[in-house]
Amino acid sequence: MFAVQTNPSIQFYWTPVNVEMLDENGKKKTFIFKAKFRRLSREELDDLSERLEKSRKAALKKAQAEAEGKELEVDESDTLTDAKVIEETLIGWADVTDENGQKLEFNPDNLALLLNVNPVRPTLAKTFFATTYGAAGKN
C-alpha cells in the first residue's frame, strides 16, 4: 500500500556517492560518502527538467556560434550547472572528513572545499539525477 501525503514526512533521502579517483600510484580507488538530498516534488522536478532543457539549448547555441567563429553571450540564469543543482538539492552528508580524519560539518565553506575536489561535483550531480529520475524509471 502507498499512502499519498499532502505534506510528506519524508522530505529527504540518503544515498551513497561513489567517487572514483586515481591514487598517488595511478590506481583507481573508490571513495564513498553519503549524501542527503532534498526529495523534490513533481512540480520541482518538472521545473528542473525545463531548466535543464533550456540550459542544454543555450549550450548548443553557444557551441554552434563558436563553430562559426562568432561569440555568443549566454545569460547565466539560463545555465544550470552541476554546482547549482547540488546547491539546490544537497542538504547534508555523512562520512566526509578532512585530511586528518576529522569529520567535516556540512556548511557552505566545507561544501565549496568538497566540490573543488575533482570529480566530486559531477559525481554528486550524476548521483542526484540517477537516484531521482532513475528511481522513477525502474517501476
Side-chain angles (χ1 to χ4, degrees), residues 46-102:
D46 289 345
D47 177 63
L48 183 62
S49 292
E50 287 175 24
R51 290 167 55 211
L52 282 168
E53 182 62 16
K54 189 176 180 182
S55 182
R56 186 191 68 75
K57 286 179 180 178
L60 183 58
K61 282 183 183 178
K62 184 175 181 181
Q64 288 172 336
E66 288 175 356
E68 296 170 1
K70 300 175 184 174
E71 195 168 314
L72 178 68
E73 292 289 324
V74 176
D75 183 355
E76 287 300 315
S77 66
D78 288 345
T79 306
L80 187 60
T81 63
D82 289 346
K84 285 182 186 177
V85 170
I86 293 164
E87 181 181 296
E88 293 178 18
T89 60
L90 186 68
I91 58 173
W93 63 45
D95 304 325
V96 176
T97 64
D98 64 15
E99 63 270 11
N100 298 317
Q102 298 297 311

Side-chain angles (χ1 to χ4, degrees), residues 13-26:
Y13 63 93
W14 288 95
T15 190
V17 178
N18 300 308
V19 181
E20 289 187 354
M21 299 173 65
L22 297 180
D23 67 12
E24 60 276 1
N25 298 314

Side-chain angles (χ1 to χ4, degrees), residues 93 98 104 107-118 120:
W93 63 45
D98 64 15
L104 282 182
N107 62 44
D109 290 337
N110 287 339
L111 178 58
L113 288 173
L114 181 67
L115 294 182
N116 197 41
V117 177
N118 193 44
V120 172

Side-chain angles (χ1 to χ4, degrees), residues 3-13 39:
V4 177
Q5 301 175 6
T6 55
N7 188 8
S9 58
I10 303 172
Q11 297 180 357
F12 63 86
Y13 63 93
R39 186 176 307 279

